[in-house]
Amino acid sequence: MWGNGSVKVPRHIAVIPDGNRRYAKKVGLDFYHAYKRGVEKVRSFLTWALEFGDIKNVTFYVLSTENLQRSRVELEILFRIFEEEFKKTIEDPLIHENKVRIRFIGDRSIIPGRLVKLMEELESATSSYSERHLTFALGYGGRAEIVRCVKRIISGEVKLAEINEESLFQCLDTRDLPNPEPDVVIRTGGEKRLSNFLLYQTAYSELIFLDKLWPEIEREDLLYVVEEYSRRQRRFGK
């Protein structure tokens, strides 16, 4: 079932990993250890996704522009965890043995410089890979991305006369991805909204909402998502 062609598998899965703070309250953990479990679950999810040969792109919404309005204490916890994980990921066999290229989208000017340096190191360490792609939306907001796109057009980076629905992808943050439009968007935590995530790219994405909090997600949940996606008919308005 996982790779015999009997199930239609999405090429690009985007994930809104919601519910880390609620998980902390539910199981009695402090924010650091709850978020730590959430970040570790990202690695688990990638491992499961790699079992499907056809899943080539996974994108995680890890920190939105709105999230940056949270308390300084909570943000420092998140930045500390990101630093720890990015340092480990630079030499992670899971990444290099599977030739996973890592990219970051969003506004780096609102992210601490020490973290941006690690992000750039990760991108550089995986820049030669083209088989699979792991993208982190960090300091990202869909509306802000569209504003950046408009500024690129105004600056002449993208010619105004050549703009259409397809060429517009060339000035979005995802312009370097081989398949920028997610086939399916998963949101955990029971909420049913996109929360300013990939607003242009998700126009025809299938949306799947899971009630489980992100740190509770398991391999069987990804299998459910793939099977549910396989059952849906994507007509693209036709």
Side-chain angles (χ1 to χ4, degrees):
M1 178 177 292
W2 290 80
N4 61 11
S6 61
V7 174
K8 180 180 65 176
V9 176
R11 294 171 301 162
H12 183 177
I13 294 179
V15 185
I16 304 174
D18 196 16
N20 291 286
R21 292 193 294 180
R22 281 176 284 162
Y23 177 78
K25 295 178 181 178
K26 179 179 178 180
V27 301
L29 284 178
D30 57 61
F31 277 167
Y32 175 83
H33 289 94
Y35 278 125
K36 191 76 171 176
R37 289 191 186 180
V39 171
E40 290 168 354
K41 193 64 72 169
V42 169
R43 190 181 191 280
S44 297
F45 189 94
L46 177 62
T47 302
W48 305 327
L50 288 170
E51 296 179 23
F52 293 92
D54 291 336
I55 297 178
K56 302 296 185 181
N57 301 269
V58 179
T59 299
F60 283 97
Y61 196 14
V62 295
L63 189 71
S64 71
T65 50
E66 291 79 14
N67 292 155
L68 290 168
Q69 299 172 22
R70 293 180 179 178
S71 72
R72 175 50 52 183
V73 171
E74 185 174 350
L75 288 174
E76 282 302 324
I77 289 173
L78 280 172
F79 294 146
R80 174 184 164 193
I81 292 173
F82 291 156
E83 286 186 67
E84 294 169 351
E85 294 303 317
F86 291 166
K87 287 177 181 177
K88 291 191 297 184
T89 304
I90 289 175
E91 298 182 358
D92 191 339
L94 178 70
I95 298 299
H96 296 289
E97 290 175 6
N98 290 283
K99 299 186 182 304
V100 179
R101 184 168 185 175
I102 296 177
R103 290 186 176 91
F104 294 87
I105 60 174
D107 184 356
R108 301 188 186 194
S109 71
I110 58 178
I111 302 297
R114 66 186 190 277
L115 191 56
V116 172
K117 184 175 184 294
L118 284 171
M119 291 159 57
E120 292 172 346
E121 289 179 15
L122 257 178
E123 289 180 323
S124 177
T126 62
S127 62
S128 64
Y129 302 148
S130 60
E131 182 68 20
R132 296 179 177 86
H133 303 265
L134 175 62
T135 304
F136 295 107
L138 185 58
Y140 174 88
R143 291 179 175 177
E145 177 189 31
I146 292 172
V147 170
R148 286 192 291 275
C149 181
V150 172
K151 289 181 177 179
R152 289 177 183 130
I153 295 171
I154 293 172
S155 69
E157 186 176 333
V158 180
K159 293 182 179 179
L160 182 60
E162 298 176 357
I163 288 295
N164 56 41
E165 290 186 14
E166 290 301 317
S167 64
L168 193 63
F169 280 101
Q170 297 307 310
C171 67
L172 294 172
D173 291 358
T174 53
R175 60 191 176 278
D176 293 327
L177 290 180
N179 181 27
E181 299 175 79
D183 297 299
V184 61
V185 177
I186 304 168
R187 180 168 187 155
T188 60
E191 303 292 349
K192 296 178 174 61
R193 55 180 178 270
L194 288 176
S195 295
N196 202 18
F197 182 46
L198 298 178
L199 299 180
Y200 194 81
Q201 298 90 332
T202 57
Y204 286 103
S205 300
E206 298 296 323
L207 307 180
I208 298 179
F209 302 103
L210 303 177
D211 289 331
K212 282 187 176 180
L213 304 176
W214 172 248
E216 298 173 330
I217 205 80
E218 296 295 344
R219 182 176 178 271
E220 64 186 25
D221 299 303
L222 177 57
L223 178 57
Y224 162 76
V225 167
V226 171
E227 291 176 337
E228 173 63 21
Y229 173 80
S230 182
R231 286 191 289 267
R232 297 188 184 184
Q233 294 185 2
R234 306 185 74 198
R235 299 187 180 89
F236 299 96
K238 299 177 182 177

